Amino acid sequence: MQLSDPNVNLAIILPEIIIAITGVVVMLYDCFFPKNRGITGTMSLIGIAAAAISIALIWPGGSVPASAWGGMIVHDSLRLSFSVVFLLVAALTILVSTVWVEREDVPGGEYHALLLFATFGMLLMSSGNDLVVIFLGLETLSIATYVMAGLRKSDLKSNESAMKYFILGSLASAFLLYGMALVYGATGTMNITEIAAKAADPNFPALLLVGAAMLVVGFGFKVAAAPFHVWTPDVYEGAPSPITGFMAAGPKAAAFASFLRIFVIGFPVVGGLEAAGYLNYSWTTALAVMAIATMTVGNVAAIMQNNVKRMLAYSSIAHAGYALVGFVGAGVAASQSNRDAAIAAVAFYMLSYAVANIGSFAIITLLGQKNDRRTEFEDFNGIGFKSPVLSFTLSLFMLSLLGLPLTAGFIGKVLVFRPALEANNPLLTVMVVAAVINTAISAYYYLRMIVVMFFKERATDWVEPRIPSALAAVILVTVIGTFYFGIFGNRVIERFSRQPIAEAVSQR
Amino acid sequence: MDFVSENLLTLLILLPVFGAVGLIAHQMFWKQEEHLKWVTLAITVVIFLLSLLLLGEGGTKAGGFSFVKNVPWIEAINTNYHVGVDGLSLWLVILTTFIMPIAIISTWHAVEKRPLAFYAFLLLLQSAMIGVFVSLDLLVFYLFFEASLVPMFFLIGIWGGANRIYAAVKFFIFTAVGSLLMLVAIIALYFMHQQATGVGTFDFVTLLGSIESGTLAFSASTGLLLFIAFALAFSIKVPLFPFHTWLPDAHTEAPTAGSVILAAVLLKMGTYGLMRFNFPLFPDAARELAPIFIILAIIGIIYGALVAMVQPDVKRLVAYSSVAHMGFVILGMFSFTEWGMQGALYQMLNHGISTGALFLLVGFIYERRHTREISEFGGIANVMPLYATFFVITAMSSVGLPFLNGFVGEFMIMIGMWKSSILAVTATVNWNYIATMAAGTGVIFAAVYLLWMIQRVFFGKVTNEKNRGLTDLTPREIGLMIPLLFLMVFMGVYPRPFLDRSRDAVVAIQERVVKQAGGTVEVVETFEKE
């Protein structure tokens, strides 16, 4: 093997660098001046803002190559659009958790540092074009999230949540790693672009199929797709509310970013070659079936929940299913532009979901009180007109999650359904119809939230909590986001698909 | 003025939204709850007057749309904010703007709980309803169609009767299920257009043009599936038997203003959608499935009437009568004759006015007695003579007494069905005649259930002591009923101005459906007022 120029380029990983440095600084600062939550929080926010600015600077039009670091890091719309989602999620989570960090007296510095490391991992997962880089990102993310889930040390549920998340997450990582090893064994490379070239070979080894199957299992765990979803409700219910919101929006989107990159780019549609086409055909079929199962399981189970956090956990499973619909659409897309549009659609879907989801968890954090005690549906009875701002906002988020027009969720759904219908394939059409029927099922439990808040009477006293300014900012951003993406989604999608996804660009 | 006429439809859609925002702002700064109804009333009256400007040009262009506005919305999926009005939508828009002030006045003393939210939701509902009738982009249409659900959901859920939560959720889910399948069909149409022409579109006019010119063609089975997906959404909304079960619950539990709007406007979205989208886009499927719809419509007419007959609750009785009346509308539409389709459109307006008025009248007595059980009443005519008069006139309009509006619509629909050739004609029997006769029995049943109810409620001696002290209608209530009663009579004796406006649009749809039947273009007979 000959040595090649690693084409070092710091600009391309500027956002990652900024976030990592901020994380280290926050951690060190916390060692010397502990319990300065305000300052560590502000520092984290500044770091995230700087990373966001750096992304804006290297956005298409800037002088950044399409790939660098020996092809390990790529700069395309898949990376850019998902990075926007991660940074938004991280910033909002920090704002939401100000309430919770104070109320529960959680060590603020550690928490902020962990969140930044998790964000670093997510960014790496979307920019990595190499199985090892992706795995590194994933592990950085996972380890940070395991700890965050268990931050409320004195609470049994939080401990249970962290433990379950850790054990099952490690199992998933093991599957993933094994899958990566097999893919490497079959293709002799870790670079996704090169894997795609190898997979186009009509005589690819069957080992590749086994590796791909392992990867499906591993990522299936990470995105909580049925039948690998069973850990989700317990973990989401037990983890502190702001972290739950983060886990459902951030790490899930990150897993989708890598999942998309490895499968859609790495195992592409190969025209005319039956043996190679088999790989693409197998995984799209498997994922289509998983998408149907995920949506159905998530929605049906969500109906039966009495706890709002558990309901949202199952709803997040269902939303992974809807995103998978767009994912499969990207997998079978006939042309590169269609494929890029489908990937942008999934990114937009995760963005719209993140906005509504973090907004909901912000309100639930506020209303849940210490230790998230008040998170049963009954606890929300009749608060509608006692706290109109919070209740109408929460209703808006529910309607966006349901996918009602004029909200972000609607545009997101239309966008992910589109590529799947475009394929003109019976199984995919069935999948879209299943998604639509599931949307109707989901109306029941999203509406239930509105029903309890507005239509039921409250028997006990209830005092409207004061809305802290940080939370007010979150609510403002998420409400504006929900409407903006729902009405002017056009502009976002246009930006999300500006840089063609590098498939043939191999720098070696 | 140029600005107004150029953006008239947009103004009609946006004004209620601005009105709702204004209401909230007003409440934040002045905190005068008793102002709210006046402000809302003023807004709706202004909207009504503005909507009358539509009469200037609306419905006069043969086969074309007036007041068109077409600007890009989401370019990534090529969807445009495309609105316009023609003879089909013109009267429905005006019906919407006309019924709103009446609905607002009807709530003058009835809404004690959260008036701000109540009026804000009413205004948002109005915006969505107007949007439904004027959208010419399928995605935008879907958007308004769904958006109209939310305010109504809140109206039923917060201000409804005892069983309101069940009714509200049922209303929402029934409608959402149907409309989501329509969404799939809409996206499928987009791709078929893309495959056929290279450009995907949601634009109704473009799609229709491509289908008419044959550029966009699909197999018979695809056409059937698409037709069913659209028709299911609309049939649930109409509601056509057997999808009607949400209606009695929603009507009974909704507050009076909600019932009035539900009956007058929301149900029309279904029949309007069938006529606007299903017929022109999928004429072959429409003809193929017409017998099924006709049978369901007839079942609806008879079943609705029979069930209405045994209802102990006046409001529920009126709700079931809606099922029967809307069955008539469907029957007329699927006769595919000019008489039938014009009659169907006319009957939509009639039903809006008559049934809306009936719900108002039921609301009046409910506000006095807080019950709607027929058995609680008896001899009301003795204590409330004016109320009884109004009620009987309205009921007669609903039954279809000549010189009142209901007669014109039902008569035209039955002539249309009689003349139709959509059902099989064999040597021994013409099934079109049979269908007409079966539907005709519905008119008799309607007379039975309404007259029987009137007899039990209004005539005889006052049996219940509680009814002795009832006061007759107040000036506000009289003022509310006068425009409705006037329209019942006016539309009954002089339907011409209404029908003239809608003829071009309706005939265009009718010809479109009939023309594809293997070239046998039926002679489109012009008709004078009967």
Side-chain angles (χ1 to χ4, degrees):
Chain A
M1 191 180 177
Q2 65 191 105
L3 284 173
S4 57
D5 172 24
N7 51 20
V8 172
N9 186 327
L10 288 180
I12 201 172
I13 52 163
L14 200 56
E16 281 87 349
I17 294 177
I18 294 175
I19 293 289
I21 291 178
T22 319
V24 173
V25 170
V26 165
M27 191 173 65
L28 288 178
Y29 180 86
D30 188 56
C31 292
F32 295 107
F33 311 99
K35 303 244 170 190
N36 268 324
R37 300 175 193 120
I39 294 180
T40 51
T42 316
M43 282 162 68
S44 318
L45 281 179
I46 292 173
I48 291 170
I53 292 169
S54 71
I55 285 204
L57 287 178
I58 60 172
W59 205 269
S63 55
V64 175
S67 85
W69 298 92
M72 286 202 284
I73 301 287
V74 282
H75 181 69
D76 56 15
S77 43
L78 171 58
R79 180 254 178 123
L80 289 171
S81 49
F82 273 97
S83 300
V84 171
V85 179
F86 305 147
L87 292 180
L88 183 72
V89 167
L92 290 176
T93 307
I94 288 177
L95 286 174
V96 175
S97 40
T98 48
V99 186
W100 164 76
V101 168
E102 303 222 341
R103 196 168 63 203
E104 320 253 337
D105 200 28
V106 171
E110 283 171 32
Y111 168 67
H112 291 133
L114 283 169
L115 193 67
L116 287 171
F117 291 140
T119 312
F120 168 73
M122 297 197 289
L123 289 172
L124 213 52
M125 282 172 79
S126 68
S127 58
N129 191 35
D130 189 285
L131 296 180
V132 175
V133 175
I134 287 177
F135 188 73
L136 274 180
L138 182 78
E139 279 306 280
T140 319
L141 163 68
S142 304
I143 291 170
T145 0
Y146 300 148
V147 181
M148 286 202 290
L151 263 186
R152 216 164 43 199
K153 278 177 287 196
S154 54
D155 184 36
L156 264 179
K157 267 195 169 174
S158 183
N159 284 331
E160 179 197 339
S161 160
M163 195 65 190
K164 276 192 179 157
Y165 194 26
F166 174 63
I167 292 175
L168 288 169
S170 311
L171 187 70
S173 296
F175 266 101
L176 213 55
L177 199 56
Y178 200 39
M180 286 175 178
L182 291 181
V183 169
Y184 177 72
T187 59
T189 174
M190 285 289 189
N191 185 294
I192 291 168
T193 314
E194 288 174 20
I195 291 174
K198 289 273 165 46
D201 185 340
N203 301 316
F204 71 87
L207 202 55
L208 191 56
L209 275 178
V210 184
M214 294 271 192
L215 288 176
V216 168
V217 175
F219 279 118
F221 266 109
K222 295 290 177 187
V223 301
F228 312 115
H229 66 284
V230 279
W231 57 274
T232 324
D234 290 340
V235 172
Y236 281 18
E237 188 194 359
S241 296
I243 312 289
T244 312
F246 172 75
M247 289 197 292
K252 181 170 284 193
F256 262 111
S258 308
F259 202 179
L260 275 168
R261 170 119 29 222
I262 296 179
F263 278 79
V264 177
I265 315 288
F267 308 139
V269 184
V270 184
L273 301 170
E274 263 186 27
Y278 187 67
L279 174 61
N280 182 273
Y281 172 77
S282 330
W283 76 255
T284 46
T285 310
L287 280 193
V289 174
M290 271 169 74
I292 297 174
T294 308
M295 293 183 287
T296 313
V297 167
N299 281 315
V300 172
I303 286 183
M304 296 180 287
Q305 303 308 317
N306 285 321
N307 181 297
V308 177
K309 278 171 82 179
R310 270 186 100 83
M311 181 273 273
L312 284 174
Y314 279 108
S315 127
S316 96
I317 296 173
H319 280 277
Y322 300 130
L324 278 176
V325 171
F327 190 139
V328 176
V332 298
S335 73
Q336 196 172 332
S337 65
N338 284 357
R339 187 199 65 190
D340 289 4
I343 290 178
V346 177
F348 184 88
Y349 193 85
M350 293 321 292
L351 180 68
S352 66
Y353 173 68
V355 170
N357 189 55
I358 297 220
S360 316
F361 273 105
I363 294 173
I364 288 164
T365 309
L366 182 63
L367 297 178
Q369 299 182 3
K370 198 169 188 318
N371 281 340
D372 295 332
R373 278 171 308 172
R374 303 257 177 269
T375 53
E376 299 291 316
F377 269 106
E378 288 160 16
D379 297 320
F380 290 78
N381 269 1
I383 65 169
F385 288 106
K386 296 201 165 102
S387 178
V389 174
L390 292 178
S391 330
F392 274 110
T393 327
L394 190 51
S395 308
L396 173 73
F397 296 142
M398 290 298 138
L399 294 178
S400 179
L401 289 174
L402 170 57
L404 221 68
L406 289 180
T407 61
F410 172 67
I411 303 290
K413 280 216 169 90
V414 171
L415 283 174
V416 293
F417 291 172
R418 210 171 62 115
L421 278 179
E422 192 170 22
N424 211 358
N425 166 325
L427 176 66
L428 267 56
T429 310
V430 168
M431 179 174 71
V432 173
V433 172
V436 161
I437 293 170
N438 268 294
T439 306
I441 297 175
S442 74
Y444 182 80
Y445 59 87
Y446 291 130
L447 291 182
R448 187 173 167 201
M449 197 70 223
I450 300 177
V451 165
V452 294
M453 286 194 300
F454 286 100
F455 303 172
K456 292 241 167 93
E457 303 294 336
R458 190 169 186 88
T460 54
D461 281 347
W462 190 79
V463 186
E464 182 185 6
R466 199 182 53 82
I467 306 177
S469 48
L471 209 70
V474 173
I475 291 175
L476 197 66
V477 169
T478 45
V479 167
I480 292 175
T482 305
F483 279 123
Y484 183 82
F485 300 146
I487 299 172
F488 304 107
N490 188 26
R491 297 176 193 172
V492 181
I493 301 157
E494 192 267 323
R495 286 205 170 73
F496 272 17
S497 41
R498 207 178 266 177
Q499 176 93 336
I501 289 162
E503 139 187 69
V505 187
S506 175
Q507 295 288 325
R508 297 206 195 179
Chain B
M1 214 50 196
D2 268 357
F3 173 79
V4 171
S5 61
E6 264 173 38
N7 298 297
L8 187 53
L9 292 173
T10 314
L11 277 177
L12 288 178
I13 294 172
L14 285 183
L15 268 182
V17 178
F18 290 149
V21 174
L23 273 188
I24 295 168
H26 175 274
Q27 187 65 3
M28 278 165 77
F29 294 116
W30 280 280
K31 303 201 190 308
Q32 292 285 331
E33 286 202 334
E34 57 273 25
H35 286 182
L36 292 173
K37 49 193 174 193
W38 287 103
V39 178
T40 316
L41 180 62
I43 295 167
T44 50
V45 169
V46 168
I47 294 170
F48 172 60
L49 294 177
L50 261 183
S51 73
L52 290 179
L53 290 177
L54 290 175
L55 289 173
E57 201 188 326
T60 53
K61 281 190 187 169
F65 292 95
S66 316
F67 301 101
V68 175
K69 189 93 192 161
N70 194 351
V71 288
W73 177 38
I74 303 180
E75 280 156 356
I77 48 176
N78 191 19
T79 174
N80 304 299
Y81 171 75
H82 187 181
V83 291
V85 72
D86 70 349
L88 184 59
S89 46
L90 171 73
W91 292 114
L92 291 168
V93 174
I94 294 182
L95 175 71
T96 311
T97 57
F98 167 76
I99 217 81
M100 279 309 283
I102 292 179
I104 305 281
I105 303 176
S106 79
T107 62
W108 218 242
H109 301 299
V111 177
E112 288 146 11
K113 197 164 93 173
R114 319 274 168 215
L116 172 66
F118 184 80
Y119 291 114
F121 279 128
L122 276 182
L123 286 172
L124 292 178
L125 182 60
Q126 181 177 20
S127 168
M129 293 188 300
I130 296 175
V132 164
F133 291 130
V134 300
S135 309
L136 294 177
D137 184 282
L138 291 176
L139 203 69
V140 177
F141 170 79
Y142 174 81
L143 185 150
F144 284 118
F145 195 78
E146 284 277 276
S148 69
L149 281 180
V150 179
M152 200 64 203
F153 175 68
F154 276 101
L155 284 174
I156 299 176
I158 301 178
W159 293 275
N163 204 9
R164 59 185 191 274
I165 295 177
Y166 172 75
V169 174
K170 193 170 176 182
F171 163 74
F172 194 105
I173 290 182
F174 261 66
T175 322
V177 170
S179 53
L180 281 162
L181 285 173
M182 178 170 75
L183 179 65
V184 176
I186 290 174
I187 303 179
L189 267 180
Y190 174 94
F191 283 114
M192 288 176 186
H193 197 263
Q194 191 174 41
Q195 277 156 10
T197 65
V199 189
T201 183
F202 290 112
D203 191 272
F204 169 67
V205 179
T206 316
L207 280 169
L208 185 59
S210 301
I211 292 179
E212 272 182 333
S213 67
T215 332
L216 170 57
F218 29 70
S219 65
S221 59
T222 317
L224 270 183
L225 280 177
L226 290 173
F227 180 92
I228 290 171
F230 272 84
L232 188 66
F234 298 138
S235 307
I236 291 174
K237 199 84 183 177
V238 169
L240 184 66
F241 179 88
F243 308 113
H244 64 281
T245 61
W246 63 269
L247 180 90
D249 291 313
H251 263 320
T252 315
E253 299 305 329
T256 301
S259 302
V260 172
I261 294 170
L262 195 58
V265 186
L266 285 183
L267 304 189
K268 308 304 174 300
M269 288 180 186
T271 41
Y272 167 80
L274 279 171
M275 221 149 151
R276 164 71 79 219
F277 299 113
N278 274 54
F279 290 178
L281 291 178
F282 320 108
D284 299 321
R287 275 194 317 277
E288 193 166 330
L289 292 177
I292 296 175
F293 278 84
I294 289 174
I295 291 168
L296 290 178
I298 292 172
I299 295 178
I301 293 170
I302 296 171
Y303 169 87
L306 288 176
V307 178
M309 220 176 278
V310 296
Q311 293 305 316
D313 180 314
V314 187
K315 206 170 179 186
R316 245 186 136 75
L317 183 147
V318 179
Y320 273 106
S321 83
S322 272
V323 177
H325 280 117
M326 294 311 281
F328 259 106
V329 176
I330 294 281
L331 183 76
M333 279 165 37
F334 278 91
S335 72
F336 302 133
T337 54
E338 187 188 343
W339 282 90
M341 293 171 88
Q342 278 272 55
L345 181 62
Y346 204 63
Q347 188 66 2
M348 287 190 221
L349 305 178
N350 293 337
H351 176 259
I353 290 164
S354 312
T355 311
L358 277 177
F359 277 119
L360 282 177
L361 289 162
V362 174
F364 294 163
I365 194 90
Y366 183 75
E367 278 176 35
R368 287 170 170 75
R369 280 291 322 276
H370 294 283
T371 178
R372 294 181 300 248
E373 295 288 312
I374 294 176
S375 56
E376 284 280 319
F377 299 110
I380 298 290
N382 298 324
V383 283
M384 299 173 72
L386 197 57
Y387 177 71
T389 317
F390 284 2
F391 203 109
V392 171
I393 295 175
T394 311
M396 285 304 125
S397 143
S398 185
V399 169
L401 191 77
F403 291 112
L404 291 173
N405 57 354
F407 172 73
V408 183
E410 282 180 1
F411 187 72
M412 285 172 70
I413 288 171
M414 291 216 269
I415 291 196
M417 195 61 228
W418 188 271
K419 289 182 160 194
S420 172
S421 51
I422 191 67
L423 295 181
V425 182
T426 62
T428 49
V429 59
N430 182 339
W431 285 99
N432 297 296
Y433 295 175
I434 305 279
T436 315
M437 287 186 263
T441 58
V443 183
I444 302 167
F445 285 131
V448 173
Y449 64 77
L450 277 169
L451 291 177
W452 190 33
M453 185 262 285
I454 286 175
Q455 183 208 343
R456 283 179 292 167
V457 171
F458 290 100
F459 300 123
K461 291 207 179 80
V462 179
T463 46
N464 190 333
E465 283 306 312
K466 286 182 197 158
N467 294 331
R468 227 174 262 291
L470 290 178
T471 50
D472 209 345
L473 296 184
T474 62
R476 172 182 68 90
E477 289 164 340
I478 296 171
L480 207 54
M481 290 304 295
I482 292 294
L484 291 168
L485 292 171
F486 168 75
L487 272 179
M488 284 174 209
V489 178
F490 182 82
M491 290 176 75
V493 293
Y494 193 51
R496 183 138 201 182
F498 297 91
L499 296 174
D500 277 354
R501 289 268 179 177
S502 60
R503 175 179 295 155
D504 286 341
V506 171
V507 168
I509 296 169
Q510 187 246 353
E511 285 181 341
R512 166 103 187 95
V513 180
V514 178
K515 208 174 263 173
Q516 302 229 333
T520 52
V521 182
E522 197 186 331
V523 181
V524 182
E525 67 276 52
T526 50
F527 58 89
E528 296 299 306
K529 187 180 89 69
E530 57 278 347

